[in-house]
Amino acid sequence: MAGHAPLTALNPGMTSPVAAAKARTRLIAIDALRGLVMLFMLVDHVRETWFLHLQVTDPVDANITDPGLFFTRLLSTFCAPTFVALTGLSAWLYGQSHSRAEVSAFLLKRGLFLIALEFTIVCYAWPTQANIFPPPTIWFQVIYTIGISMIALAALLHLPRPAQFALGLAIVCLHNLLDPIRLSPDSPFFIPWAMLHQRDKFEIAGILFKTTYPVLPWIGIILLGYACGPWFARGADPKPRIKRLAMLGLGLLVGFLLIRTLNFYGDKPWFIADTPLRTVMSFLALTKYPPSLLFLMLTVGTGCLLLALCEKFEDSKVMPTLAMLGGAPMFYYILHLYTLKLLYNIAMLLYGPTKGAVFGVDNLRWVWIWVFILIPVLYFPTRWFARLKQRRKDIWWLKYL
């Protein structure tokens, strides 16, 4: 739960970042991982900003997509699973000092807040969105999905922990069995099914809604993140936890390789392409909308290994810096989207549309150049806000950001 103050920024009263990291190892590791994937997210959104003319499909077409574009996009796929899993974990940590009823109430309020945020402030942040109210198109994207998942977790956290694991695993492992169920718009269940599992679009009162992130698999992920919470209990020895995370991560990656090689379940089949590189691309071309079993095994498995590394190398100087970014993720998210929209609009004013109706660039290196320019531009305001959240706990609404 990125918005709750105890899970956010470093305590500015600490004498040094390393001392802070040692004093709050578990929380630093969680925020550091969140900060790292936020940088991955920046890469992908810069790519989308300058390559609006060259959007990739889901899963990415390994036959025609430029390899550089493919692997740049692949980097970003670790973001949403990591965010959702850490949201569940952080909800359990919040429960160490609050009752289940209090955790449920907070999750419900925070979830509703995120949904409202998605349909207002976030909705207008994308470069191609028209600046009129109500907007002509509303996308059900990641912030909405986290909000819905939090609302679901508000109810499911009252289950016994074994039941949480069982239900979370059942959703993640078996939801691909529902893929053949495709409802048409004339079905009375079309809209709820499109929101749960079938990526689609529908119109209500003249507004077009697109379910970019069907929510069912994400509910499974947030529930599993919550169920793993006791590994991170106060006072727990970090060594067994690091070992568990490493074993879980390796197990998921080995399982991914096995199931993907057999090519029988969990995503669209891969194929032997004209070149070895494109064959590898086909093997790694996984479905994100909604996330397939194999997509989640690869991304969550990698996330577990990264979290173990964040704990293992707690004394690294980079960890407090990443944790500072991870301490105010909603602020960073909104800031980076509107920064990119501003840059895109400036480019349109200066150069006009260069790729059909949009502005675009030809070389992928511009994506990485802008990423390295924007990292410090975004870091310092985010650090300021993270410290404000930690210092001003009396301002109740700050925890929602």
Side-chain angles (χ1 to χ4, degrees), residues 34-43 45 83 324-339 371 374-375 377-379 381-383 385 401:
R34 189 183 285 116
L36 177 62
V37 298
M38 285 160 60
L39 295 180
F40 295 166
M41 177 180 65
L42 176 63
V43 173
H45 288 169
F83 267 113
M324 192 67 75
L325 272 180
M330 183 55 66
F331 178 86
Y332 171 93
Y333 185 79
I334 295 172
L335 177 65
H336 97 282
L337 287 181
Y338 277 95
T339 299
V371 166
L374 288 174
I375 286 175
V377 170
L378 297 170
Y379 173 75
T382 304
R383 184 182 67 175
F385 189 81
L401 294 175

Side-chain angles (χ1 to χ4, degrees), residues 261-301:
T261 300
L262 294 176
N263 221 10
F264 74 98
Y265 179 73
D267 213 310
K268 295 180 180 178
W270 61 280
F271 54 86
I272 303 296
D274 294 338
T275 65
L277 176 60
R278 292 200 174 273
T279 299
V280 171
M281 290 168 58
S282 173
F283 194 87
L284 296 175
L286 304 169
T287 303
K288 182 181 179 181
Y289 310 112
S292 67
L293 168 62
L294 290 170
F295 175 92
L296 292 173
M297 291 180 75
L298 174 63
T299 54
V300 175

Side-chain angles (χ1 to χ4, degrees), residues 161-184:
R161 188 169 178 238
Q164 294 169 0
F165 269 120
L167 180 59
L169 285 172
I171 292 173
V172 170
C173 296
L174 302 179
H175 79 90
N176 282 118
L177 295 175
L178 303 174
D179 291 348
I181 302 177
R182 302 288 300 180
L183 300 185
S184 59

Side-chain angles (χ1 to χ4, degrees), residues 88-116:
L89 171 58
S90 298
W92 188 91
L93 295 173
Y94 183 71
Q96 287 193 110
S97 55
H98 297 79
S99 68
R100 286 195 178 187
E102 289 173 327
V103 177
S104 288
F106 183 81
L107 286 169
L108 176 60
K109 290 185 290 185
R110 173 67 185 242
L112 291 172
F113 170 78
L114 291 181
I115 293 170

Side-chain angles (χ1 to χ4, degrees), residues 111-331:
L112 291 172
F113 170 78
L114 291 181
I115 293 170
L117 199 67
E118 178 75 84
F119 294 163
T120 53
I121 294 175
V122 174
C123 180
Y124 287 103
W126 303 103
T128 57
Q129 181 65 285
N131 294 319
I132 59 174
F133 186 85
T137 303
I138 290 179
W139 286 268
F140 291 81
Q141 300 204 91
V142 66
I143 301 302
Y144 155 85
T145 299
I146 295 176
I148 289 290
S149 299
M150 293 175 88
I151 293 172
L153 182 60
L156 296 174
L157 64 81
H158 296 280
L159 293 173
R161 188 169 178 238
Q164 294 169 0
F165 269 120
L167 180 59
L169 285 172
I171 292 173
V172 170
C173 296
L174 302 179
H175 79 90
N176 282 118
L177 295 175
L178 303 174
D179 291 348
I181 302 177
R182 302 288 300 180
L183 300 185
S184 59
D186 58 352
S187 169
F189 303 104
F190 171 71
I191 291 179
W193 188 240
M195 297 174 71
L196 273 175
H197 197 264
Q198 177 177 315
R199 187 187 188 191
D200 221 309
K201 58 186 177 181
F202 53 88
E203 188 172 315
I204 299 177
I207 300 176
L208 182 64
F209 293 86
K210 294 185 177 182
T211 57
T212 307
Y213 278 75
V215 300
L216 181 60
W218 301 109
I219 293 173
I221 289 296
I222 199 172
L223 186 57
L224 290 174
Y226 182 88
C228 289
W231 293 3
F232 295 79
R234 285 196 191 103
D237 184 356
K239 291 182 180 179
R241 177 171 60 248
I242 293 172
K243 184 177 181 180
R244 287 193 194 105
L245 287 169
M247 293 298 293
L248 176 60
L250 289 172
L252 286 170
L253 294 181
V254 170
F256 162 77
L257 290 172
L258 178 62
I259 298 174
R260 189 61 168 156
T261 300
L262 294 176
N263 221 10
F264 74 98
Y265 179 73
D267 213 310
K268 295 180 180 178
W270 61 280
F271 54 86
I272 303 296
D274 294 338
T275 65
L277 176 60
R278 292 200 174 273
T279 299
V280 171
M281 290 168 58
S282 173
F283 194 87
L284 296 175
L286 304 169
T287 303
K288 182 181 179 181
Y289 310 112
S292 67
L293 168 62
L294 290 170
F295 175 92
L296 292 173
M297 291 180 75
L298 174 63
T299 54
V300 175
T302 303
C304 289
L305 293 179
L306 289 174
L307 185 54
L309 288 172
C310 286
E311 287 219 66
K312 184 176 178 62
F313 296 100
E314 63 184 18
D315 292 338
S316 170
K317 293 182 179 179
V318 74
M319 289 302 163
T321 303
L322 289 174
M324 192 67 75
L325 272 180
M330 183 55 66
F331 178 86

